[in-house]
Amino acid sequence: MRTTTTPSTSGRRPRPRVLAAATATATICLTALVGCGTSGSSASDSGTDAPTTAPAKAAAAPVTMKDPWVKAADSGRTAVFGTLVNTTGGKVTVVSATSTVAKKTELHEVVDVDGKPVMRPKEGGFVIRAGGSHQLQPGGDHLMLMGLAKAVKPGDEIAVTLTFQDGRTLRFTAVAKAFAGGKENYSPGMKKG
């Protein structure tokens, strides 16, 4: 490579000095950039791999449970109550439920049969209109916990999971309360507990 220099008025050749200064500046900048690219606590230093993409967010449950509670019981069965609130612009259906304290959890309703309240499984699940709510209460719709694995004492916190028709789930905790009401009869042929 051939370079030419233009003499200055003082007779000196400024190009080599400019070139040396530019090279020194470039070296300093490159060193600074490399230094900025690594830090004392990189993902590889900590023993964990840094995520390459942001994690996908789980779809939010279409319903929330407001003021959930469960009737205290020593054995057999009990029920969960509260208010299901639909947070979407469309109809939502609860199709099943589970709980860690019961062998079986069912969606139940109480209907009048010959002037007596009778409890039975709710056909079609609990349908909650768009933006609406659905009350689970003694003497009405509720979640029936059958075959309790242990006593449910006042103050206990019971984990319950609801499953919706679209496959999403909602997990919540119901606090046990002493309650004397809710002595409905089972429909004929339905086993207790």
Side-chain angles (χ1 to χ4, degrees):
M1 180 169 145
R2 201 171 98 185
T3 59
T4 58
T5 58
T6 308
S8 69
T9 53
S10 63
R12 291 191 221 158
R13 296 183 177 188
R15 290 245 184 217
R17 285 186 190 171
V18 171
L19 184 58
T23 303
T25 303
T27 302
I28 292 169
C29 289
L30 183 58
T31 303
L33 286 174
V34 171
C36 291
T38 60
S39 67
S41 60
S42 70
S44 60
D45 290 343
S46 65
T48 61
D49 292 331
T52 56
T53 59
K57 288 187 176 182
V63 170
T64 59
M65 177 59 110
K66 186 176 169 187
D67 301 323
W69 65 281
V70 61
K71 179 182 172 187
D74 291 328
S75 63
R77 63 191 181 281
T78 191
V80 177
F81 310 103
T83 303
L84 298 166
V85 179
N86 183 347
T87 59
T88 72
K91 175 180 76 170
V92 175
T93 303
V94 180
V95 294
S96 66
T98 59
S99 174
T100 56
V101 298
K103 291 179 186 173
K104 188 174 186 180
T105 303
E106 293 183 351
L107 310 181
H108 276 198
E109 66 180 343
V110 176
V111 295
D112 186 57
V113 175
D114 297 327
K116 294 183 180 179
V118 176
M119 184 174 14
R120 65 182 183 197
K122 177 78 171 186
E123 294 295 325
F126 301 143
V127 179
I128 311 161
R129 64 181 169 78
S133 62
H134 187 84
Q135 187 73 33
L136 303 180
Q137 61 189 0
D141 290 351
H142 57 277
L143 302 172
M144 194 72 194
L145 306 181
M146 304 166 74
L148 292 176
K150 64 177 188 171
V152 177
K153 302 290 184 190
D156 286 353
E157 293 184 352
I158 307 302
V160 179
T161 302
L162 301 179
T163 301
F164 302 94
Q165 192 169 33
D166 65 4
R168 288 184 281 183
T169 59
L170 170 68
R171 185 169 186 214
F172 64 90
T173 302
V175 177
K177 297 181 182 182
F179 182 73
K183 305 219 184 248
E184 300 88 1
N185 295 316
Y186 280 87
S187 61
M190 191 173 181
K191 292 183 180 178
K192 294 183 180 183

